[in-house]
Amino acid sequence: MELFVDTHAHLDFDLFDEDREIVIQRAIKNGVAAIITIGVDVESSKKAVELAEKYATVFAAVGIHPTECADIPDRDFDLIEELANHEKVVAIGEVGLDYYHMRAPKEIQKNVFLYQVHFAEKLGLPLIIHNREAHEDIYDLIKSKNISEIGGVLHSFSGEISFLEKILLTDFYISFTGNITFKNSKSEELVKETPLERLLLETDSPFLTPVPLRGKRNEPGFIIHSAKKIAEIKQIEVEELGEITTENAKRLFKKLDI
Ligand SMILES: [Zn+2]
C-alpha cells in the first residue's frame, strides 16, 4: 500500500532524534511512499541530504527559510547551491517571505529569496514556498516570468479565497497541512476551490498535528488524517486522492524517483 507523498516534513529537527528511524518505518507502514524533508538553513539542509542518502523513502529540499535569513554569509549560499546538486534534492526550499515573525527586513527577505531562485532556475528545481502574511509580495514575485516558469508549491496554504484564486492563475501547486482537520477550519473552502490536479499533501511535521492526534508531535505517518479530510471535502475515495496527489508530486518534483 503506497498512497501518499508527504511533500513537506522537517525530519532533521531534534524532536525526531530519539526515534527518527521508527518514524520513517511507521510512515511507510501507513502508506507513505516518499517523504520530502525540508531544510531551513545550511545546517538543516545538510542534514536533510544526509537523511535522503540514508533512507530510500526520504528525499530532500535545501534552502534558507525567511525566518533564518538575517545576516547570511555568502558562503552559505554557495553551500546551498552545492547541496542542491545532489541527486536526491528535488526542490529549493523552504524559501519565501514571513512578515509575521519579521526576523529580517522585507527587502532582505526578498533578496535572499531571489538569490535562491537563481539556483532553482539554474538546476531546474521547483520552489517550496513559505508565505506568512506576505500575500501581495509573494504573488508579485511568483507571477514574474522567470519564477512562474520555475514553478513550485505554496506550502501550508493560508489566505482568503481571493488570494487563492490569484495563485491558481499561475502554475503553482497548493498544499494543506493537518490544520485542515481542525474544527471550524477556514481551509475547507480553500480546499473546495483548489482543483485536484493542483493539490499536494504534506504534514509539516513536527508541527500542525491533525485531529485526533492534536497536541502530539506530528509525523509523516499521520498524513492519513488530513488526506481523509481532503478526500471527504472533495467527495472522492482517499485512495483516489492519494493517486492524484502522488502524480501531482511526481509532475512537480521531477527528481522524485518513486
Ligand atoms: Zn516547513
Side-chain angles (χ1 to χ4, degrees):
M1 184 188 70
E2 285 182 347
L3 283 176
F4 309 115
V5 176
D6 183 355
T7 61
H8 198 116
H10 296 281
L11 288 179
D12 69 289
F13 283 17
D14 300 354
L15 280 168
F16 295 112
D17 281 355
E18 301 285 310
D19 61 351
R20 192 168 282 111
E21 182 141 354
I22 296 167
V23 164
I24 294 168
Q25 297 307 336
R26 195 155 46 219
I28 295 169
K29 242 204 238 155
N30 286 322
V32 175
I35 303 163
I36 304 177
T37 189
I38 318 280
V40 296
D41 57 15
V42 167
E43 251 342 280
S44 84
S45 296
K46 263 189 208 159
K47 285 189 195 156
V49 171
E50 280 165 22
L51 289 170
E53 279 177 345
K54 193 165 172 195
Y55 301 102
T57 314
V58 178
F59 293 80
V62 298
I64 296 167
H65 192 284
T67 60
E68 310 297 323
C69 74
D71 309 315
I72 303 285
D74 285 350
R75 201 183 123 70
D76 279 12
F77 290 110
D78 298 341
L79 290 169
I80 292 289
E81 186 176 8
E82 212 173 282
L83 289 167
N85 279 293
H86 192 279
E87 56 174 358
K88 287 192 84 181
V89 170
V90 300
I92 296 292
E94 59 188 287
V95 295
L97 303 174
D98 192 319
Y99 295 170
Y100 175 77
H101 292 102
M102 207 51 122
R103 301 258 167 78
K106 291 181 181 181
E107 275 320 295
I108 291 185
Q109 293 194 37
K110 279 185 203 167
N111 287 339
V112 169
F113 175 75
L114 288 170
Y115 207 97
Q116 297 180 91
V117 165
H118 286 305
F119 309 150
E121 208 168 13
K122 210 158 124 187
L123 300 169
L125 294 173
L127 298 163
I128 294 174
I129 295 186
H130 169 103
N131 161 38
R132 191 105 189 250
E133 295 183 10
H135 301 343
E136 287 309 313
D137 287 354
I138 283 288
Y139 176 65
D140 284 344
L141 285 165
I142 70 172
K143 73 170 200 255
S144 70
K145 190 172 179 295
N146 64 329
I147 301 181
S148 67
E149 277 169 9
I150 294 166
V153 55
L154 262 72
H155 111 88
S156 191
F157 189 88
S158 64
E160 301 299 323
I161 290 282
S162 56
F163 176 57
L164 176 66
E165 281 169 347
K166 281 162 76 176
I167 298 300
L168 289 173
L169 295 174
T170 71
D171 288 331
F172 272 73
Y173 288 78
I174 307 288
S175 67
F176 297 97
T177 61
N179 61 8
I180 185 66
T181 64
F182 300 171
K183 248 205 180 118
N184 306 320
S185 167
K186 283 209 300 191
S187 309
E188 230 174 287
E189 276 307 306
L190 299 167
V191 171
K192 258 185 212 156
E193 189 73 17
T194 307
L196 277 168
E197 64 274 14
R198 299 283 291 279
L199 260 180
L200 298 177
L201 299 179
E202 66 160 309
T203 58
D204 205 11
S205 301
F207 312 115
L208 297 167
T209 311
V211 174
L213 302 159
R214 211 174 167 184
K216 287 174 82 173
R217 174 194 69 180
N218 200 5
E219 58 176 71
F222 296 170
I223 202 164
I224 182 70
H225 300 288
S226 37
K228 275 184 182 160
K229 180 71 189 179
I230 292 172
E232 185 192 308
I233 296 167
K234 289 298 199 186
Q235 297 180 305
I236 59 172
E237 295 298 322
V238 72
E239 290 78 9
E240 192 185 351
L241 178 75
E243 258 170 50
I244 296 169
T245 50
T246 295
E247 282 313 308
N248 294 346
K250 285 160 78 172
R251 201 182 317 119
L252 176 64
F253 304 110
K254 294 189 178 59
K255 285 165 76 184
L256 190 71
D257 183 19
I258 53 167

